[in-house]
Amino acid sequence: MQSITLSSPAGERQITPSKIVCVGRNYVEHIHELGNEIPSHLVLFVKPNSAISNALNTHHGQAPLHYEAEICLMYQQGQFIAAGVGLDLTKRELQSELKQKGLPWERAKAFDGSVLFSDFVPLANINDIELVFEQQQQVLQHGTTAQMITKPAEILKEIQSFMTLEDGDIVMTGTPKGVGMLSAGAQYTASLYMDNQRVVSESWLALD
């Protein structure tokens, strides 16, 4: 089982989520850039624990991978207790084929190595978070919780209406516009800000 780090003033703990619940189509501009319709209900899918990786690969098999940077929230005892950054890696061509046929997305989204995380940090206010994702200091994606169609509290309520969340589970809250193909050899950095202060950041070198 793969673990992620929860970092706090009391020290670091390794947390092993049983699953990762992902929100799709939660930013209007991202919906438009992929030519999708704004959903009438929350779009959700699940990645298994085995999807977690520390290596940012540009391909899975022969398929090129696209990045989607997201604000991620850690669940514990009925609430979100910490935030971090996640990269949802996607086989975009395969996802498009599956969508056209009305089939599930898991083959394009839930494969081994399809998600990377920064450390998670406890935050007092999960409703005022800013995400910045850069490639060698060029901003690729920028989004905030305020721009989300469905906010964190509503996301949690909807998930819990049909699914049990275990302590340590991660919810990925959707990606803002600017998604694209990973470039081998490029350095990518994702950061979260609150009140204009950076609270967590992580960098990855994209591997061929």
Side-chain angles (χ1 to χ4, degrees):
M1 297 287 281
Q2 305 297 318
S3 298
I4 56 178
T5 301
L6 175 61
S7 180
S8 70
E12 294 185 352
R13 286 194 294 144
Q14 293 301 303
I15 305 295
T16 304
S18 70
K19 58 186 172 295
I20 303 146
V21 183
C22 306
V23 179
R25 304 183 188 179
N26 203 23
Y27 288 81
V28 171
E29 291 183 342
H30 172 61
I31 293 171
H32 293 329
E33 79 173 335
L34 293 188
N36 294 319
E37 296 181 356
I38 295 176
S40 56
H41 300 285
L42 193 62
V43 176
L44 295 168
F45 60 95
V46 174
K47 290 177 183 273
N49 176 279
S50 61
I52 300 172
S53 176
N54 293 319
L56 180 58
N57 292 304
T58 56
H59 289 76
H60 185 266
Q62 298 301 311
L65 300 181
H66 287 224
Y67 60 80
E68 297 186 13
E70 309 196 18
I71 295 170
C72 300
L73 303 172
M74 181 181 289
Y75 173 88
Q76 185 173 310
Q77 296 182 348
Q79 61 185 336
F80 292 131
I81 59 126
V85 176
L87 291 186
D88 170 18
L89 303 184
T90 304
K91 298 179 182 180
R92 186 70 69 203
E93 292 183 6
L94 177 57
Q95 185 193 29
S96 296
E97 292 175 10
L98 294 169
K99 287 194 299 185
Q100 289 174 359
K101 296 176 181 178
L103 297 173
W105 299 351
E106 275 73 11
R107 288 182 179 272
K109 286 281 195 179
F111 52 89
D112 289 355
S114 63
V115 64
L116 290 81
F117 292 114
S118 69
D119 288 357
F120 280 71
V121 294
L123 293 180
N125 181 10
I126 61 168
N127 296 303
D128 187 20
I129 304 173
E130 178 183 6
L131 165 70
V132 178
F133 183 58
E134 302 168 283
Q135 177 186 340
Q136 295 164 193
Q137 300 185 332
Q138 176 187 356
V139 175
L140 301 176
Q141 292 185 271
H142 174 263
T144 68
T145 45
Q147 296 169 342
M148 294 178 182
I149 297 172
T150 306
K151 305 300 190 289
E154 301 168 65
I155 292 172
L156 179 58
K157 182 178 180 181
E158 179 67 19
I159 293 171
Q160 290 182 312
S161 71
F162 71 97
M163 181 189 301
T164 297
L165 288 174
E166 307 289 345
D167 286 353
D169 283 353
I170 303 300
V171 174
M172 303 185 75
T173 59
T175 193
K177 72 171 183 178
V179 301
M181 187 181 298
L182 288 164
S183 298
Q187 189 82 20
Y188 294 90
T189 301
S191 305
L192 291 188
Y193 294 82
M194 179 175 285
D195 297 327
N196 296 318
Q197 298 293 317
R198 187 165 63 181
V199 295
V200 68
S201 184
E202 187 71 37
S203 293
W204 301 275
L205 178 66
L207 305 174
D208 195 354

